[in-house]
Amino acid sequence: VLINWNSFELTKETLDSLQQTTYTNYDCIVVDNGSVDGSGHALKLQFPNIILIASETNKGFTGGNNLGMDYALQHGYEYIMMLNNDVAVEPNFLEPLIARLDENPSVGAVQPLIYFHHDRHLIWNAGSRYLSWIGLPLTLMYFRKDPLRKQTMQQKKIDWITGCAFMMRSEILKKTGTLKERYFIYFEDVDLSFRIKKAGYTLSYVPESVIYHIAGMAHKSKTKEKEGFLSPKVHYLNGRNRIWFLKAHTPFWAVPTTFFYQFCYYLGVSFYFISRLRFNKLKAWVSGIKDGLLSSV
């Protein structure tokens, strides 16, 4: 399932890459997420084999992916993969992921080894950890050819899976539900990962599968504005969704330490925006905190 939003060239490059895969028993569902530039129609013309689902509005990463996943669930696919539309894949990237799911029924979802697209020696994501005592999700990133290279090439259990490349069993989604749409984007992948684990399954990192990611495309301007490259909306969503996630998944014994750490984190980010005179971002950040505290998913 790929999401396209006014980004023909980006999605086209991803679909071109997928055309080279050695595994062929799959369908590619492209959700055109309220594009106004005609890119969804253009993609269907260039790639007639894709399944195109058109949404009249931008439903975000969550709603867009849910349209694709709902279609997959209704049509009996065994596995479903969320894949960003700004990636390139190795031709054999699917086989190791499918093999891991086939050989171990206790594994509910898998992810590949993800390099940066612009420098294919830089690792963007080699699995993840979650520090439950402070409520902190971490991405394992290893730069260049570091001494931990052997560690990055070992299959292992992980704590959560990035929505950039998230393959899961369809049967599990019928139990857990799909992405929570109110998240829109950010923390929705961590939330789904935790719900899969709560259903009794493990998550696995499969480094034999390799893709390359152009990171940070969502809500990022091409030119630096007065307050930087990122839209204030990014900080609103991150601030709000982090609180939503913590309210849903923090164990009772970790509440004191998590509260203390997160209070310091939110305060630190606020002072950073003040020091850089980024008041639009500060306003969005504070609004996100307010909405996160006063509402729930």
Side-chain angles (χ1 to χ4, degrees):
V1 179
L2 277 76
I3 307 299
N4 174 71
W5 182 59
N6 299 322
S7 50
F8 173 80
E9 289 298 332
L10 206 59
T11 308
K12 174 186 175 299
E13 290 179 9
T14 299
L15 290 172
D16 281 334
S17 179
L18 287 169
Q19 299 292 305
Q20 310 304 315
T21 54
T22 52
Y23 187 89
T24 59
N25 187 25
Y26 73 95
D27 288 321
C28 186
I29 301 168
V30 176
V31 178
D32 188 49
N33 213 9
S35 296
V36 295
D37 62 352
S39 53
H41 178 67
L43 289 166
K44 181 62 175 177
L45 289 177
Q46 185 141 352
F47 301 94
N49 290 332
I50 66 172
I51 298 167
L52 181 69
I53 299 175
S55 172
E56 293 184 359
T57 59
N58 180 3
K59 295 180 175 294
F61 185 83
T62 53
N65 271 295
N66 281 353
L67 285 175
M69 290 193 286
D70 287 343
Y71 177 95
L73 289 172
Q74 292 165 11
H75 287 80
Y77 293 93
E78 185 174 3
Y79 302 131
I80 300 174
M81 184 177 200
M82 292 186 289
L83 188 68
N84 274 19
N85 74 322
D86 58 349
V87 303
V89 303
E90 287 291 336
N92 65 341
F93 91 108
L94 280 172
E95 285 91 338
L97 298 174
I98 293 169
R100 180 62 174 153
L101 289 169
D102 281 347
E103 70 191 15
N104 194 333
S106 68
V107 175
V110 292
Q111 76 154 77
L113 166 61
I114 308 173
Y115 288 92
F116 281 96
H117 195 289
H118 72 277
D119 184 340
R120 298 189 174 190
H121 296 292
L122 279 172
I123 294 177
W124 181 75
N125 188 308
S128 61
R129 288 290 178 266
Y130 183 75
L131 305 184
S132 56
W133 62 284
I134 56 174
L136 181 63
L138 296 174
T139 297
L140 303 182
M141 303 169 68
Y142 302 105
F143 296 101
R144 303 291 173 181
K145 295 180 179 179
D146 62 276
L148 294 175
R149 177 65 176 169
K150 289 183 179 179
Q151 181 179 334
T152 69
M153 296 309 297
Q154 296 175 351
Q155 288 194 11
K156 58 190 174 187
K157 290 182 181 179
I158 53 178
D159 292 334
W160 59 276
I161 293 179
T162 170
C164 173
F166 193 137
M167 179 180 281
M168 65 215 92
R169 299 180 188 276
S170 298
E171 288 300 316
I172 295 177
L173 284 181
K174 294 176 182 178
K175 301 175 184 178
T176 64
T178 52
L179 298 172
K180 292 186 177 179
E181 295 198 12
R182 287 188 65 196
Y183 276 96
F184 197 80
I185 189 171
Y186 305 128
F187 279 90
E188 76 293 325
D189 47 3
V190 194
D191 173 75
L192 179 57
S193 296
F194 273 53
R195 286 188 280 132
I196 290 174
K197 291 195 298 180
K198 285 181 179 179
Y201 297 89
T202 60
L203 310 173
S204 186
Y205 161 71
V206 184
E208 295 85 358
S209 172
V210 174
I211 70 171
Y212 309 92
H213 178 41
I214 305 174
M217 294 302 295
H219 304 297
K220 186 175 182 180
S221 63
K222 295 181 180 179
T223 57
K224 188 174 182 179
E225 306 294 336
K226 180 181 178 181
E227 296 198 8
F229 288 99
L230 289 178
S231 161
K233 185 177 181 180
V234 170
H235 302 290
Y236 168 82
L237 292 170
N238 266 311
R240 183 196 66 182
N241 293 0
R242 177 188 289 263
I243 293 173
W244 277 353
F245 172 82
L246 292 170
K247 287 165 70 173
H249 298 289
T250 301
F252 74 92
W253 55 265
V255 169
T257 50
T258 297
F259 177 83
F260 177 76
Y261 173 84
Q262 297 296 333
F263 178 82
C264 293
Y265 169 77
Y266 278 95
L267 193 64
V269 173
S270 300
F271 277 118
Y272 171 79
F273 289 147
I274 293 171
S275 69
R276 299 298 298 273
L277 303 180
R278 295 180 175 178
F279 296 112
N280 287 334
K281 291 186 175 180
L282 176 65
K283 182 179 178 181
W285 181 246
V286 172
S287 181
I289 296 172
K290 178 183 176 181
D291 288 350
L293 292 172
L294 297 180
S295 61
S296 60
V297 180

